[in-house]
Each structure stands twice: as structure tokens, then as C-alpha cells.
Amino acid sequence: MSKIVLTGDRPTGKLHLGHFVGSLQNRLELQKDSSFDDIFIMLADAQALTDNSKNPTKIRDNIIEVVLDYLSIGLDPNRVTFFIQSQIPALTELTFYYMNLVSIARLERNPTVKNEIKLRGFKEKDNEQGIPTGFVVYPISQAADITAFNANYVPVGEDQKPMLEQTREIVETFNKTYGETLVMPNIILPKSNSANRLVGIDGSEKMSKSLNNAIFLSDDEKTLHDKVFKCYTDPSHININDKGNLENNVVFKYLDVFCEEDTFTRFLPDYNNLQEMKDHYSCGGLGDVKCKKLLFDVLNDKLSKCRENREIWKNKIEDIYDILEAGTNKAIKVSNATLDKVKTAMKIDYFNDKNTLINDWKNWLNG
Ligand code: TRP
């Protein structure tokens, strides 16, 4: 069986380090692995519109920001098919049919959707402040995204686990009801636990644009420096000789995630590894400034390459247009083939073969 990857992001803002460790990093690994036949990365503009219906320009503008983020980290348009969700008619059609396989109660207990409804302040109202129907059913449209491309691997962050469970249930129900048609997808989660949910620079649970605590892939050097030096550490660690607390210390949480084998030889040869540095911090004698300086060096090393690539691609917007158009055309073809199979399985393929339908109807009428 071929190995196919599909994933995507809502183009509602620039991508940040949380996205990087949560899912982008995994994509970079997958693109290096030649055993994968196809890698689809989708700009989920239709999903973004489910809670941004009044703000279509924001979504349109952020498509280019997100694509620049993809290209700047090194996702390779020769290897990856990038496409725009709203331009793929099969996805809306599949969503419409899958809706019949999922109960409203099942949708309502999706923890990600529940949480997002709370975060967005939607109310139980039948007016404009109410929860948009499209928003409640977006897990079903996500099942369409995944199954339309026969994806068996879906690299996403921890928060998307309920979406994958929902998709797997839909695949199971569909195949049981209409015969083996859809491919069962598997989730690929980030390797380390701390990467699964990167905290914000303020120490709050999640890095997020709306919480204003994110380090963006496109941040310039000065912005990065300011943000690193604003990171929450240990408020009781006032003098260098005070014992430092590592728990909830954002600088060390980030170092845990971003330090590499050669980090200390390159940037801070006083220590052999992160554990030594942590021990020193806990015992007292190591100040926050030195730790922040290391974190800045580590992150800046990563992001400076991104910034360079971003500048190059920014001058090639015409090429990006062509990449997206070609990717979208390919995605239309692949998803239409799945839609055909689905319609045949559901016996709604009336005009595919004239004789079959005529014979079926004649047989029926003749009892
Ligand atoms: N829900 C995902 C997010 O918010 C985006 C997305 C839409 C997606 N469709 C998908 C991710 C299909 C993986 C597979 O980031």
C-alpha cells in the first residue's frame, strides 16, 4: 500500500515555534524519508472561515504568510504538494455525505471543539453570536480532508488527537456501511512530551498568537531578543547565588526542546550539556541572563536560516502562485478519484454507466 501524508494549517496568522515543534519539524523529517509516496500540505482556508466568516481578507492574506513560513523552514515544493482547501470541490461533497454518519451528540463531545468554542466566546444563542454550524461540524470536514487523499499518516500536534479519532470512526462506519472504500489514517505525534505543547513566553500553558505569547518563525533578530529576555523564569531567583527553580521555567523548557548535540560546544563551552547547566542553576550561582543569552543564540541560529529563505521567497511570489496552483490542480484530481469511489460505494454514481442504471431500474420495476 502506498504511504501518503496529509496535514495542514488554518491560515489565520503567521506560524510560531509551537507549530514548529508541534508539527512542522515532523514534516521536515517525513519529506526526507523517501518511503513516503506523496506528502500533501493543505492551507485550510475553508476551515479557518468556519469561525472567521466576517473576515475573509484576513484568511486570504495569511495564506501567503503561512506558505512563506513553510518554504522558509525548508519544506520543498518539489517534494510536497501544497494546495488550498476551498478550491477542492470534492472536500465539500465528501463532508456532506459523512455528516450522515456522525451524530450531533458525538460532535458536541469533541474536546477540541468544546475548548475552542469557549476560547472564542461563542454563546448558546440563535443569533450572530451563536456557534456557527460549520464550526461544530468542522471535524467532519477534516475527515474529508484526510480521506480524500487516501492519507494513512497525519502529522499533527496533540490538540488534533480528537480530530483523528473522529476521522477514524467515520472511516470505520463508512467502510462497514458501504464496503471497504476509505483508507484508515494514523496520527504522527511530536516525539517529545514538552514539544507536544510548547508553553508561551509568559509561561502560560500554550504558545498562541491570540494569547500574545508567541515567538514567530518570521520574527527578526531584535524581536526575538526582546521576547527571549521577557521569558518567564523563576521570580524568586533574584541574585545569582539564589537557588533557581527549573519548574515552570520557560527558558529551560525551551532549552529542553531546542538544544542539540553541539549546542554547548558552539555557544556555551562552560558546560558539557544541558543537565550540567540545570544542576548549576538549581544549586545557585548561575544567573538568568546567561541562560537567556544561550537560548537566544540557539533560537537565532535556527531562525536566521528561516529569515534568509523567507527573503528569497518573498521576491518570488509569482513562483509561489504557480506552486499553489499546480498543487491545487493535482489535489483536485486525486480527491475526485476518491469521491468517485465513495459515490459508487454509496450507489449514487447514476451516470457513470448508462446500462447498469437502466438494467437496475428495469429489474426493480419488473420485481
Ligand atoms: N485543524 C487543523 C489545525 O487547526 C488544520 C487542519 C484542517 C488539518 N484539516 C486538516 C490538519 C487535516 C490535519 C489534517 O491546525
Side-chain angles (χ1 to χ4, degrees):
M1 193 199 246
S2 28
K3 287 171 76 177
I4 296 171
V5 175
L6 178 124
T7 187
D9 300 280
R10 296 181 196 175
T12 51
K14 297 174 177 187
L15 302 181
H16 51 62
L17 289 180
H19 297 110
F20 185 76
V21 297
S23 137
L24 300 174
Q25 220 169 12
N26 258 338
R27 299 182 200 175
L28 288 171
E29 303 242 318
L30 293 172
Q31 92 170 351
K32 276 194 266 169
D33 182 340
S34 59
S35 73
F36 289 97
D37 300 281
D38 250 320
I39 301 175
F40 291 95
I41 297 187
M42 180 181 73
L43 292 132
D45 64 330
Q47 188 175 107
L49 284 166
T50 62
D51 64 334
N52 284 283
S53 56
K54 312 238 159 48
N55 214 348
T57 317
K58 168 178 150 191
I59 307 306
R60 188 181 169 99
D61 293 341
N62 277 302
I63 287 184
I64 190 63
E65 292 287 0
V66 172
V67 175
L68 282 170
D69 285 331
Y70 290 159
L71 296 168
S72 74
I73 62 161
L75 286 170
D76 175 2
N78 292 313
R79 174 75 172 111
V80 174
T81 304
F82 297 106
F83 70 96
I84 303 182
Q85 185 186 32
S86 62
Q87 304 308 297
I88 316 296
L91 298 180
T92 19
E93 275 193 65
L94 289 173
T95 303
F96 192 69
Y97 299 123
Y98 294 171
M99 284 204 271
N100 304 329
L101 306 177
V102 182
S103 71
I104 291 181
R106 172 65 184 88
L107 278 180
E108 283 174 346
R109 79 178 157 79
N110 185 311
T112 305
V113 177
K114 262 193 193 163
N115 190 29
E116 287 173 330
I117 285 172
K118 227 191 283 157
L119 284 175
R120 282 162 183 68
F122 290 134
K123 310 265 162 18
E124 292 282 343
K125 285 191 174 162
D126 69 354
N127 60 22
E128 290 215 345
Q129 295 155 25
I131 308 164
T133 305
F135 189 76
V136 185
V137 303
Y138 91 70
I140 301 178
S141 109
Q142 196 153 332
D145 302 337
I146 294 167
T147 53
F149 298 92
N150 306 310
N152 28 25
Y153 298 93
V154 183
V156 282
E158 174 91 358
D159 64 316
Q160 295 294 304
K161 242 176 155 173
M163 301 300 155
L164 255 289
E165 278 162 25
Q166 179 88 72
T167 299
R168 290 174 61 89
E169 281 173 39
I170 290 173
V171 169
E172 199 184 317
T173 310
F174 189 101
N175 288 347
K176 222 168 50 200
T177 313
Y178 304 113
E180 274 311 302
T181 312
L182 303 175
V183 174
M184 186 61 83
N186 299 293
I187 192 166
I188 302 183
L189 288 170
K191 280 182 211 85
S192 75
N193 240 348
S194 36
N196 246 325
R197 181 156 296 196
L198 198 68
V199 295
I201 60 170
D202 56 357
S204 69
E205 204 186 319
K206 199 178 166 191
M207 182 176 283
S208 127
K209 186 175 79 99
S210 47
L211 297 174
N212 210 5
N213 63 12
I215 294 176
F216 294 97
L217 299 174
S218 49
D219 278 346
D220 62 29
E221 194 165 318
K222 166 146 190 349
T223 310
L224 176 67
H225 192 271
D226 290 351
K227 286 181 179 174
V228 167
F229 277 78
K230 264 204 298 207
C231 277
Y232 181 86
T233 56
D234 169 8
S236 61
H237 184 240
I238 297 163
N239 301 308
I240 287 196
N241 289 326
D242 292 343
K243 290 185 173 170
N245 192 351
L246 296 167
E247 215 183 315
N248 304 324
N249 190 316
V250 173
V251 172
F252 283 97
K253 286 200 170 175
Y254 289 177
L255 286 173
D256 270 333
V257 176
F258 292 102
C259 274
E260 285 168 15
E261 207 130 297
D262 58 356
T263 294
F264 285 88
T265 31
R266 286 181 66 196
F267 301 116
L268 192 60
D270 309 15
Y271 303 99
N272 285 311
N273 53 46
L274 185 56
Q275 192 54 51
E276 267 186 34
M277 184 178 177
K278 282 182 176 173
D279 291 344
H280 193 190
Y281 189 83
S282 315
C283 298
L286 173 57
D288 276 354
V289 170
K290 195 162 176 175
C291 305
K292 287 180 167 172
K293 174 78 175 55
L294 173 67
L295 178 62
F296 170 75
D297 287 338
V298 169
L299 293 178
N300 197 41
D301 183 51
K302 265 198 184 316
L303 293 192
S304 56
K305 188 80 198 124
C306 286
R307 282 181 214 122
E308 275 168 36
N309 289 339
R310 201 181 176 90
E311 278 315 304
I312 295 171
W313 280 106
K314 256 186 168 168
N315 292 315
K316 298 201 292 187
I317 299 298
E318 287 80 6
D319 292 358
I320 296 183
Y321 178 97
D322 292 342
I323 289 167
L324 286 177
E325 189 181 37
T328 300
N329 284 334
K330 174 174 168 184
I332 290 172
K333 275 208 196 100
V334 176
S335 58
N336 276 344
T338 305
L339 180 63
D340 280 347
K341 278 194 218 148
V342 161
K343 288 171 107 172
T344 300
M346 293 177 69
K347 308 211 176 299
I348 52 172
D349 58 346
Y350 307 109
F351 301 118
N352 265 8
D353 183 54
K354 190 170 177 176
N355 288 332
T356 307
L357 184 61
I358 290 174
N359 283 335
D360 282 354
W361 278 347
K362 281 186 177 165
N363 285 339
W364 164 254
L365 293 172
N366 294 332

